[in-house]
Amino acid sequence: MNPAVEREIPGTTARAVQRMIAARFLGLLADQMSTYLIPVVIYATTGSVGLSGLAFAVQWLPRVVALPVLGVLVDRFPIARQFLVNDLARAGVLLVVAVVADPVALMAASAVMTLLNGHAVIATETVLTRCVPSRLMPDAQSRVQVAQQLSFTAGPALGGALLVWPGLSGGVVLISGVLVVAAAATSAALRSLEVRRGAVTGSPLRNLVDGARVVLGSKPLMSLVSLTIVVNLVAGLALGALPVIVVGDFDAAPSMAGVVAGAASVMSLVAALLTKRLLRRTSLGTVVAGAGAALVASGPAMALAPNLVVFTAAYVLWTAGVTVFTIWLRTRRLDYLPPDVVGGALGFFVAAVLAATPVAGVLLAVFGAVTGAQDLMLIMCGVSAVLAVPAVLCWIRSTQTRRTDLASTSP
């Protein structure tokens, strides 16, 4: 890989970057509140496992399909205008939900919200790349990670609180207000930043094809894709089945699903901080091996949990394991993504691994009512364990081959 180029962008200050990240935190928080609130309402009002699974699939499928092209769109239009349209569009969708709250409208709104949030995340990363000098980037990335983890923690908890009071209609109106504030704050923050224009070369279709070719032609990247899909099959099922298990199987209040999700998000933040400290003493491979053990233990534990307390403990442990696995994944895939096509390749990579999420929703919709959500999760844990073996072996062989090649070419 080419060494990083030192970027010095006049006019960009640490305070300006912090204001931008704070503004986007509001958008992330609103997304996490609505992402939790709407699916829980669908299950609580219908009591249908199949409809709940279908809603989860519909929520994620448009985002997965659109991910490869979202980066192309971000590069071709003024970034400030995109943030404004995105946040206000999400606010408008939630206002429609406040008036029309039947299951079909809720599913459609959830799909649009998740799609637009995917665009907002890519746009935020683009702003950091274009306007943050090298000397400020470590602090900026740390703040973005903290903002994401805080939103993952506070969003479901606040969404659960909104279900208690003022309920769905009042809750989505309040979330809509947060998005309007996020739009105004982002516009103000961007005025104090020097955001460089992207250098778009070639057609959008060509960029997409090049990105797909990079991933499909790399054995290490494909083994990473396979491993992540295996993890995401169970992770997606756990996330999609959360309202069904908490509210339906354990007869808890809908707000308790937010408490469980919030507890898992807190552990996710703790796991990320612990990983940072552990890496000072041991290798990332050793840390992710421990995370793998946590996933192997907690997946079946969620499926076999006899009560909400045991399920919550297993769900929290699972989320911590996924967090460490994700850190390892993001670190390792950068070793194989060429800098000249990193955007297109990364978009295709992320779309491929997230495809498991709507698939999990479809499985829940089709089989959840017949087998039960927990039994279905146990089956998927077994299937994932079988699929993980060849994926791990493929990764080990590909990395050993790469080390041999590097050793043979070194002077």
Side-chain angles (χ1 to χ4, degrees):
M1 288 192 176
N2 297 328
V5 178
E6 183 72 18
R7 296 188 311 276
E8 292 299 335
I9 306 171
T12 297
T13 64
R15 187 175 295 276
V17 175
Q18 292 166 14
R19 284 198 295 266
M20 172 65 190
I21 295 172
R24 296 322 308 157
F25 167 72
L26 294 175
L28 287 168
L29 182 64
D31 172 74
Q32 289 300 308
M33 286 191 286
S34 63
T35 299
Y36 160 78
L37 188 146
I38 294 176
V40 171
V41 169
I42 291 175
Y43 179 74
T45 55
T46 65
S48 170
V49 177
L51 193 58
S52 182
L54 179 62
F56 186 74
V58 170
Q59 178 185 29
W60 281 95
L61 187 59
R63 177 171 177 172
V64 171
V65 173
L67 269 172
V69 302
L70 288 177
V72 176
L73 294 177
V74 168
D75 283 338
R76 278 172 158 75
F77 299 98
I79 202 73
R81 187 182 306 167
Q82 292 187 66
F83 276 121
L84 183 64
V85 172
N86 185 301
D87 289 340
L88 293 183
R90 285 190 285 171
V93 168
L94 291 177
L95 290 179
V96 172
V97 170
V99 178
V100 183
D102 63 88
V104 175
L106 289 174
M107 281 192 285
S110 183
V112 174
M113 292 292 291
T114 305
L115 172 65
L116 292 176
N117 181 61
H119 171 271
V121 170
I122 293 179
T124 300
E125 289 296 323
T126 301
V127 168
L128 292 177
T129 301
R130 293 181 184 174
C131 76
V132 178
S134 297
R135 59 186 173 82
L136 298 179
M137 185 60 80
D139 179 71
Q141 290 290 358
S142 297
R143 291 177 182 274
V144 168
Q145 188 65 31
V146 170
Q148 290 178 342
Q149 293 298 336
L150 285 177
S151 69
F152 294 160
T153 302
L158 290 174
L162 290 176
L163 277 179
V164 177
W165 185 89
L168 175 64
S169 295
V172 294
V173 169
L174 289 175
I175 299 172
S176 178
V178 174
L179 284 166
V180 172
V181 174
T186 302
S187 297
L190 286 174
R191 284 196 291 269
S192 60
L193 292 174
E194 295 287 339
V195 183
R196 299 180 301 163
R197 295 297 297 268
V200 180
T201 59
S203 68
L205 180 59
R206 181 65 182 176
N207 293 336
L208 291 175
V209 171
D210 288 343
R213 186 180 292 116
V214 167
V215 176
L216 294 174
S218 170
K219 289 184 179 180
L221 287 176
M222 286 304 298
S223 62
L224 287 176
V225 168
S226 301
L227 272 172
T228 310
I229 287 175
V230 168
V231 173
N232 282 351
L233 278 173
V234 179
L237 188 58
L239 183 61
L242 185 64
V244 176
I245 294 173
V246 173
V247 180
D249 294 351
F250 297 135
D251 199 27
S255 59
M256 280 303 299
V259 174
V260 175
S265 297
V266 171
M267 181 54 69
S268 177
L269 179 59
V270 172
L273 294 174
L274 286 176
T275 299
K276 184 177 179 180
R277 294 180 65 88
L278 287 172
L279 289 178
R280 299 172 184 173
R281 302 181 179 182
T282 186
S283 67
L284 182 57
T286 302
V287 176
V288 80
L295 294 177
V296 170
S298 59
M302 285 190 293
L304 298 171
N307 53 56
L308 182 58
V309 174
V310 175
F311 176 81
T312 300
Y315 187 80
V316 166
L317 181 60
W318 171 268
T319 305
V322 170
T323 298
V324 179
F325 173 83
T326 302
I327 293 172
W328 174 80
L329 169 70
R330 290 178 175 176
T331 303
R332 288 293 172 256
R333 71 186 179 191
L334 291 178
D335 294 336
Y336 302 94
L337 290 172
D340 53 340
V341 292
V342 65
L346 190 57
F348 184 85
F349 185 102
V350 175
V353 300
L354 283 184
T357 305
V359 169
V362 172
L363 291 174
L364 181 64
V366 175
F367 301 108
V370 178
T371 64
Q374 285 184 284
D375 288 341
L376 179 60
M377 187 178 296
L378 184 62
I379 294 171
M380 288 311 302
C381 286
V383 172
S384 297
V386 172
L387 295 176
V389 174
V392 170
L393 292 177
C394 181
W395 166 253
I396 293 173
R397 285 196 298 267
S398 63
T399 53
Q400 288 175 342
T401 301
R402 183 172 187 263
R403 283 196 295 267
T404 301
D405 294 339
L406 290 175
S408 63
T409 56
S410 61

